[in-house]
Every structure is written in C-alpha cells, then in structure tokens.
Amino acid sequence: MKKHLMWCGSITFMMLAGCAGPNSTARNVETAASINSLAGVPGAGWVGLAASAADIFSKVGKPTTGKPSEGILKHMRQSPQLLKLPNKEGKITTRWVTRKDKDGRVISVENSPKESMAYTEAYIDATSRFLGGDFGDGGEAKVRANLEAWEKGGLVVAEYNDPNGTKVIIVSNHNDPGEAMLPTEWAEKAKSQK
C-alpha cells in the first residue's frame, strides 16, 4: 500500500510540474537561483541567467547567425576544413582535414597560416555558442546585459575569447542574425553605431 501511495504522489508531482509551463518554471528557477546567489551558492546566478534566457527565447526567438565578415572569411579561405566531433566518451575532438580550393590549391595544416586556423576555430566555437543562446564572455553582468538587449531588440555585442588566444565578436541589432567579425572590424563598425 505504501508503494502505491508513493507512486501516485510522484505522478501528481509530475503533473503539477508539467502544468507550470516553461515561463513560470523558468521564473521559479531564476528566483531560486537569485536567492541562492545572494546566499553565496557558487554558480547560482548563472543558473538563473539560463532560466531567463529560456524564457526570453521562448517569447522573442533564439539567436541565429548570418554570413561572417570579410576578415573571418579571409581566414577561413586560408584554412583546412575543421571537424569537431564527439568521441566515444562524448568529448569533442578537433580534426583538420586537407581540402582543395576552387583554383586547385591544396590547403593543409602544413601550408596554412596558424593565425588563420586559430580564427577559423574561434569562429566555429563562437557561432556554436551564440546559436546555443550563450551571449559571450565577460562575466555574468555582461551576459545579462546582452540578454536584456536581445529581449528589447537592442544591440547585442557578444565577445568570445578562444583558448588559443583569438577573439571573435558577434553583433546583432534588432534581433537580426548575428554577424561574426574580427575585433578590428567591430572597432571600425562601432564608430558608425554611435
């Protein structure tokens, strides 16, 4: 009899949780994370931020990307093809594959500029994160500001610092597809945004 009551109790709990809907569930998670954050629980603010993002994306739409800038394209044209795939343990592995350009030139790890390969990898990592709703590096406050800008249809400037030391910036205004660019390109473009 005890097992039967526990089973019914869990079904009732699942049904109640299911009725809450994504928006109220996200708000509940964010509220709990905010309380935990104030109490000094590590990572709690990020949990609340993720819940906010889920709520905002359900209303406004998820981020998308457009064509990369000329600077990024130049680096990609000089790089071999990059494959990032999970191995048996689920860890992402990186593999560069030699390719042939339109003009017949062979582009391999041996003959490609290391800087171009670094920017190609940084671009792939940055766009993957942006599409996943991760609005860059720079700490919780910066990500929260970008998330609020996305919600209001404002200017989102997400900076991604790759472990190899390169930086790619993805910019979106009015929830348009994000444009990935080099820091120098953004510095130039930002002048016209002011």
Side-chain angles (χ1 to χ4, degrees), residues 60-157:
V60 179
K62 289 185 80 175
T64 60
T65 56
K67 185 179 173 188
S69 71
E70 279 306 311
I72 298 275
L73 283 173
K74 180 183 172 193
H75 285 300
M76 291 176 73
R77 287 183 193 113
Q78 295 177 19
S79 298
Q81 183 179 4
L82 177 61
L83 298 177
K84 288 195 161 213
L85 302 167
N87 62 16
K88 291 177 186 174
E89 294 80 39
K91 185 179 177 186
I92 300 295
T93 59
T94 300
R95 196 171 118 223
W96 293 97
V97 180
T98 300
R99 66 180 180 84
K100 198 177 260 192
D101 207 356
K102 288 182 215 173
D103 63 2
R105 189 172 60 103
V106 174
I107 300 168
S108 67
V109 170
E110 292 75 31
N111 67 7
S112 295
K114 298 300 175 215
E115 180 186 37
S116 290
M117 290 173 61
Y119 273 109
T120 298
E121 185 169 8
Y123 164 73
I124 289 170
D125 292 345
T127 53
S128 174
R129 288 177 59 190
F130 187 80
L131 291 171
D134 174 352
F135 283 141
D137 299 324
E140 189 182 331
K142 178 67 175 161
V143 173
R144 187 173 300 280
N146 274 334
L147 193 55
E148 287 169 7
W150 183 262
E151 183 176 28
K152 294 172 185 168
L155 180 66
V156 173
V157 180

Side-chain angles (χ1 to χ4, degrees), residues 154-171:
L155 180 66
V156 173
V157 180
E159 297 183 10
Y160 300 92
N161 298 296
D162 216 51
N164 58 25
T166 54
K167 180 189 283 192
V168 169
I169 298 172
I170 300 182
V171 179

